[in-house]
């Protein structure tokens, strides 16, 4: 086996599972990629998307050289230039913008293309460079801001259960989460629980593939989850099944919250949520009498105007039942709050405070005050709200747009300069999951193709080209990784870079089983804080308005099984399997509009429209329609995806976006 090498790495994509992978390298080329069989969460399997990752690294449309725009903005016409030319042009433009308008005229727009702590959004990528220039800050609120904020209010942290503890649960609520699509490795632990008699309930407006596999599916009206939580707790109280000792020792605000629960009897909750009263009652009885109960509540239910509150109130459930005492009880939204790497944003490098621009507000904030938009690991024309307005903003002639990318996305089409970026097998990175408690090291396996450079190397070269003298701008990837690991937090004791590089993955120092809040919460008082009266349920935009006016249908745009956000949206095989974009429509809504199964329709509102083929199905209730995210607009009929009809509207907390909270109408094309 001469020349064959096995290199350990990690999947960089925005997925809770952060899989450990093994790359087989032969004669300098990566020839095989598979899930690491030794890693306890990955258990040897990747997923339908990332099984094609190596194919993507060598794809025909990969961007391999720096490019300069030759046609009009939006046309995607470019010529190849050298790195020297690219760095020259960028240096001149950035210096000019800083001199004339100040550093804040630069918007470094970093997305979730990789969750790497070196190359991507979880860490420090580019921040030192931007601080030296005095650029605006960028707030990455697109994914989980509302839910994080809601959980933080209740528990003092968005972090909760170790997902591996689901194996110990007796009742599992999969709440606004499509486990088998958006992070399927949890399923093995759910199956272990089932083997021991656990009952699994999916709470989702769509009968997803996860709902199909669950023991029970509650088709909730979108954006009404907090009301369901109150209704379930109403039954718990009626059964006198609350954990009085836990309430007394570890919570605050109970008297007030109890009154709020009593104002939400099952009948009222059934009316709000659209779930039959009998089903609410039955689940309430299960919740009252099953310990431990585990809630897996993720992003779907917080992409609504009331989404932060939904997580805040759902997180109150284990406070009432005392489930936090028991391994296998509690709520799991994200584990990232258990990760204590030292992310120093180096604000000391700024010479004055700067403004913060908001990722989901590109459509409104990309105004005249922004002279340079620097997009990296993001595809806003495909993934951000109100894509029609974003396109119009990107057309501005005096806007200097730079995009670092792997592929010619719709966003790349608007760039003045495109910089070729490395993929995960071609650079080092440090990772943690948001669905488990392991740290991973991704060792570079091969040399980058063409002239691709990593994010870190691009910023080092640019700093040098611009003559910057701040020494920390030139720290190597290994030095940056050492700094991240040096937080001194006990969860990282003994986890050195050497060890990570040798072993590939290491569990952080948390006990097994891990019961994070059995003895208290990381709030100021050390107690779980119940939502105050009147703040336990905020209806979503659509729940408040659906069924009336010109746009009576609620559009939900969840994760696609075959793409990851817009990543892989250009993969030929995955596109072939995904077929044409679809919109799920209930038979009653289809009949009312004369829609025929399989026929192309316009889905529209005042913000814009996209085209899709109707799939008539009782997987959605009347009044709800669904079309997954992730299609490349330019590879879709009509040149748009669902974000053409998603409004730039803030949720109740953290300015969280409302991707599943938009009203539309549908008509045949
Ligand atoms: N295959 C694949 N995997 C992915 C992704 C992908 O694009 N493709 N995306 C990744 C990313 S970035 C993220 S953030 C996660 C997201 O993954 P999830 O957390 O699973 O989020 P969504 O897919 O947005 O929504 C999950 C489910 O919530 C349901 N839902 C929508 N509104 C409501 C509501 O009001 N109440 C309830 N109860 N349910 C509701 C949707 O119908 C959907 O089935 O997945 C990651 N994994
Ligand atoms: N309608 C609708 N829209 C949604 C959502 C929804 O539920 N519904 N979900 C939202 C969510 S949860 C998220 S997280 C956002 C994601 O939105 P974005 O953060 O914009 O993510 P992607 O669309 O996957 O685009 C990421 C791009 O980064 C590139 N990339 C990957 N790795 C690297 C790298 O190392 N370097 C560089 N330079 N580029 C890289 C990829 O090629 C890809 O084109 O989408 C949101 N959009
Ligand atoms: S996308 Fe998720 S499931 Fe697929 S390989 Fe990456 S981390 Fe694993
Ligand atoms: Mo996300």
């Amino acid at each position: 086996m001469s020349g064959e090498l096995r290199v350990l790495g990690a999947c960089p994509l925005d997925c809770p599972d952060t899989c450990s992978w093994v790359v087989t390298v032969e004669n300098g080329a990566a020839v095989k990629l598979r899930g690491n069989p030794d890693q306890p969460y990955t258990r040897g399997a990747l997923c339908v998307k990332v099984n094609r990752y190596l194919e993507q690294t060598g794809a025909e449309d990969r961007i391999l050289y720096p490019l300069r725009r030759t046609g009009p903005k939006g046309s995607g016409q470019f010529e190849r230039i050298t790195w020297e030319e690219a760095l020259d042009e960028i240096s001149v433009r950035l210096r000019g913008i800083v001199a004339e308008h100040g550093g804040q005229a630069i918007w470094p727009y970093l997305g979730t293309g990789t969750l790497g702590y070196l190359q991507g959004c979880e860490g420090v990528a580019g921040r030192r460079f931007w601080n030296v220039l005095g650029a605006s800050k960028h707030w990455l609120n697109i994914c989980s801001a509302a839910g994080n904020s809601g959980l933080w209010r209740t528990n003092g942290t968005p972090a909760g259960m170790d997902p591996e503890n689901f194996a110990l649960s007796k009742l599992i609520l999969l709440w606004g989460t499509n486990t088998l699509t958006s992070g399927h490795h949890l399923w093995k632990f759910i199956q272990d629980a089932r083997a021991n008699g656990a009952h699994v309930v999916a709470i989702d407006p769509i009968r997803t593939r996860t709902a199909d596999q669950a023991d029970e599916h509650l088709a909730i009206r979108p954006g009404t989850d907090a009301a369901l939580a109150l209704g379930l707790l109403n039954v718990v109280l009626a059964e006198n099944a609350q954990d009085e000792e836990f309430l007394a020792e570890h919570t605050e605000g109970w008297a007030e919250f109890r009154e709020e629960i009593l104002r939400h009897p099952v009948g009222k909750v059934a009316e709000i949520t659209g779930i039959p009263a009998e089903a609410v009652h039955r689940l309430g009885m299960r919740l009252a009498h099953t310990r431990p109960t585990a809630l897996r509540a993720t992003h779907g239910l917080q992409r609504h105007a009331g989404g932060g509150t939904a997580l805040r109130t759902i997180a109150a459930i284990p406070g009432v039942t005392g489930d936090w005492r028991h391994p296998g009880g509690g709520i799991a939204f994200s584990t990232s709050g258990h990760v204590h790497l030292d992310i120093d944003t180096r604000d000391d490098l700024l010479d004055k405070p700067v403004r913060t621009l908001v990722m989901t507000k590109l459509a409104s904030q990309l105004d005249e005050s922004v002279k340079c938009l620097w997009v990296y690991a993001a595809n806003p024309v495909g993934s951000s709200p109100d894509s029609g307005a974003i396109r119009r903003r990107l057309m501005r002639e005096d806007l200097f747009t730079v995009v670092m990318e792997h592929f010619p996305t719709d966003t790349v089409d608007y760039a003045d300069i495109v910089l070729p970026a490395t993929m995960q097998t071609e650079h080092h990175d440090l990772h943690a999951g948001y669905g488990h408690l392991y740290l991973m090291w991704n060792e570079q396996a091969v040399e980058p193709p063409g002239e691709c450079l990593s994010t870190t190397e691009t910023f080092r070269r640019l700093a040098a080209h611009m003559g910057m003298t701040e020494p920390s701008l030139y720290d190597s990837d290994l030095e940056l990784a050492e700094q991240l690991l040096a937080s001194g937090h006990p969860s990282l004791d003994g986890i050195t870079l050497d060890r990570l590089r040798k072993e590939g993955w290491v569990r952080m120092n948390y006990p097994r089983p891990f019961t994070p809040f059995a003895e208290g919460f990381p709030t100021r008082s050390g107690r779980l804080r119940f939502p105050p009266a009147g703040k336990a349920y905020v209806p979503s935009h659509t729940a408040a308005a659906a069924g009336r006016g010109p746009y009576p249908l609620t559009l939900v745009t969840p994760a696609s099984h075959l793409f990851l956000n817009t990543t892989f949206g250009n993969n030929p095989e995955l596109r072939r399997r995904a077929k044409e974009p679809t919109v799920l429509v209930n038979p009653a809504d289809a009949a009312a509009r004369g829609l025929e199964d399989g026929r192309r329709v316009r889905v529209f509102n005042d913000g814009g429209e996209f085209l899709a083929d109707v799939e008539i199905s009782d997987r959605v209730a009347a009044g709800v329609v669904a079309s997954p995210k992730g299609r490349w607009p330019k590879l879709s009929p009509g040149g748009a995806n669902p974000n053409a009809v998603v409004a730039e509207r803030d949720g109740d907390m953290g300015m969280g976006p409302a991707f599943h909270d938009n009203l539309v109408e549908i008509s045949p094309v």
Side-chain angles (χ1 to χ4, degrees), residues 246-420:
F246 193 84
L247 284 166
E249 277 175 25
H250 297 303
T251 72
E252 65 188 46
W254 171 235
E256 204 181 317
F257 187 55
R258 189 172 168 278
E259 292 305 312
E260 189 72 39
I261 294 170
L262 294 175
R263 280 191 288 274
H264 286 80
V266 165
K268 176 175 169 185
V269 166
E271 241 166 71
I272 297 173
T273 60
I275 301 171
E278 187 265 330
V280 177
H281 184 258
R282 209 175 41 216
L283 184 56
M285 291 295 281
R286 280 190 194 277
L287 177 64
H289 300 295
T290 318
R291 304 278 73 75
T293 289
L295 313 180
R296 175 66 169 165
T298 61
H299 304 77
L301 62 89
Q302 50 107 62
R303 303 200 204 290
H304 290 274
T309 301
L311 264 304
R312 177 188 209 171
T313 300
I314 290 169
I317 292 175
V320 179
T321 58
D323 268 297
W324 286 116
R325 290 177 191 283
H326 313 287
I331 181 169
F333 174 70
S334 159
T335 52
S336 38
H338 293 309
V339 182
H340 296 282
L341 294 167
D342 184 12
I343 302 167
D344 184 353
T345 57
R346 292 303 306 270
D347 286 357
D348 59 301
L349 298 175
L350 282 164
D351 60 16
K352 60 171 193 295
V354 293
R355 67 177 174 176
T356 298
L357 296 166
V358 181
M359 182 165 182
T360 54
K361 293 182 182 287
L362 192 58
S364 62
Q365 293 188 340
L366 187 56
D367 59 16
E368 294 288 330
S369 74
V370 180
K371 302 295 178 193
C372 170
L373 179 71
W374 187 291
V375 179
Y376 52 135
N379 183 10
V381 178
S383 286
S384 296
D386 200 355
S387 49
I390 292 174
R391 285 180 191 274
R392 291 191 290 277
R393 297 283 194 176
L394 287 169
M395 289 299 289
R396 212 176 77 216
E397 273 309 318
D398 72 328
L399 177 70
F400 180 53
T401 303
V402 178
V403 180
M404 298 162 78
E405 250 302 345
H406 303 149
F407 295 107
T409 63
D410 290 82
T411 305
V412 163
D413 287 348
Y414 292 86
D416 294 287
I417 299 282
V418 184
L419 300 176

Side-chain angles (χ1 to χ4, degrees), residues 197-214:
H199 185 81
V200 179
V201 182
I203 303 169
D204 196 308
I206 308 176
R207 200 171 75 239
T208 60
R209 66 176 69 216
T210 305
D212 277 338
Q213 297 294 317

Side-chain angles (χ1 to χ4, degrees), residues 396-591:
R396 212 176 77 216
E397 273 309 318
D398 72 328
L399 177 70
F400 180 53
T401 303
V402 178
V403 180
M404 298 162 78
E405 250 302 345
H406 303 149
F407 295 107
T409 63
D410 290 82
T411 305
V412 163
D413 287 348
Y414 292 86
D416 294 287
I417 299 282
V418 184
L419 300 176
T422 46
M423 292 180 71
Q424 187 76 345
T425 45
E426 303 151 10
H427 55 223
H428 290 319
D429 214 337
L430 177 64
H431 288 264
Y434 63 95
H436 60 58
L437 295 173
Y438 300 87
L439 290 184
M440 313 257 176
W441 177 253
N442 179 75
E443 181 80 13
Q444 181 178 345
V446 296
E447 288 303 312
E451 294 178 359
C452 295
L453 292 183
S454 66
T455 307
T456 45
E457 182 60 17
T458 301
F459 284 111
R460 282 189 290 260
R461 291 210 192 170
L462 188 53
H465 207 84
M466 294 181 75
M468 292 178 175
T469 53
E470 163 57 35
S472 70
L473 292 171
Y474 301 99
D475 289 351
S476 70
D477 289 358
L478 298 182
E479 284 164 341
L480 291 168
E482 301 268 19
Q483 292 161 18
L484 282 157
L485 289 165
S487 68
H489 193 272
S491 63
L492 302 177
D493 277 354
I495 305 181
T496 60
L497 182 57
D498 281 347
R499 178 168 165 212
L500 268 175
R501 286 187 82 179
K502 201 158 107 243
E503 299 173 19
W505 54 271
V506 177
R507 185 173 159 104
M508 293 180 289
N509 302 318
Y510 292 108
R512 240 191 244 273
F514 180 38
T515 46
F517 312 137
E519 302 302 327
F521 293 82
T523 54
R524 210 170 303 147
S525 60
R527 289 163 177 264
L528 177 148
R529 294 178 296 223
F530 287 118
K535 299 224 159 147
Y537 170 50
V538 175
S540 65
H541 177 68
T542 57
R548 298 192 295 270
Y551 306 114
L553 302 170
T554 295
L555 173 68
V556 173
T557 61
S560 145
H561 196 67
L562 296 166
F563 307 121
L564 199 135
N565 295 319
T566 65
T567 302
F568 290 107
N570 60 332
N571 180 274
E573 175 57 20
L574 294 173
R575 284 183 63 208
R576 191 186 64 76
R577 286 197 218 169
K579 305 200 180 81
E580 291 296 296
T582 56
V583 57
L584 274 180
V585 180
N586 179 272
D589 290 323

Side-chain angles (χ1 to χ4, degrees), residues 385-390 392 551 603-610 640-648 662-664:
D386 200 355
S387 49
I390 292 174
R392 291 191 290 277
Y551 306 114
V603 182
F604 62 99
N605 58 25
D606 289 335
E609 67 173 56
F610 69 98
N641 74 12
N643 283 326
V645 302
V646 169
E648 186 195 284
N662 292 275
L663 291 169
V664 296

